[in-house]
């Protein structure tokens, strides 16, 4: 019985050591993945102002056009103009609400 406990203790100790080693290896892998140790690491997002005062953005090396607020608002309003899922959901909720109201009115009439 004593030998069984000793074996279990050493196996548990070995597995705990393996878990600690695995945690250390994964920590080093995460640090490498984030790029902290990479001297060639460049920023993923860069925003600079050009000579006309407009902001220019570069995301992962590709230029991105920044639209002014009025144009963005107009685009959002156009997208909100017709949304099939939104309108279908509104009609469905109105039908369900009227059906539930009619059901409760019917129950109130019986009682």
């Amino acid at each position: 019985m004593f030998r069984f406990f000793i074996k279990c203790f050493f196996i548990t100790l070995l597995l705990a050591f393996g878990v600690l080693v695995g945690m250390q290896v994964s920590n080093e892998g995460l640090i490498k993945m984030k790029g902290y140790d990479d001297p060639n690491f460049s920023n993923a997002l860069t925003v600079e102002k050009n000579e006309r005062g407009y902001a220019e953005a570069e995301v992962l090396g590709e230029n991105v056009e920044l639209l002014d607020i009025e144009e963005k608002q107009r685009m959002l309003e156009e997208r909100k103009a017709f949304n099939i899922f939104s309108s279908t959901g509104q009609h469905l909720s109105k039908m369900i609400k009227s059906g539930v109201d009619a059901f409760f009115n019917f129950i109130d009439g019986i009682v």
Side-chain angles (χ1 to χ4, degrees), residues 32-74:
K32 286 182 183 178
M33 185 176 68
K34 287 181 181 177
Y36 292 135
D37 292 339
D38 188 7
N40 297 328
F41 181 71
S42 62
N43 291 334
L45 173 69
T46 3
V47 179
E48 298 175 352
K49 287 191 175 187
N50 62 7
E51 60 276 352
R52 294 185 297 168
Y54 292 112
E56 292 181 354
E58 187 174 309
V59 178
L60 298 175
E62 295 183 21
N63 288 334
V64 177
E65 294 180 19
L66 297 177
L67 304 174
D68 57 340
I69 294 175
E70 292 85 16
E71 188 173 344
K72 285 183 181 181
Q73 184 177 4
R74 183 184 56 79

Side-chain angles (χ1 to χ4, degrees), residues 93-109:
S93 68
K94 287 179 185 176
M95 288 189 330
I96 291 173
K97 184 179 183 315
S98 63
V100 169
D101 287 341
F103 176 73
F104 282 121
N105 288 337
F106 177 72
I107 296 296
D108 286 340

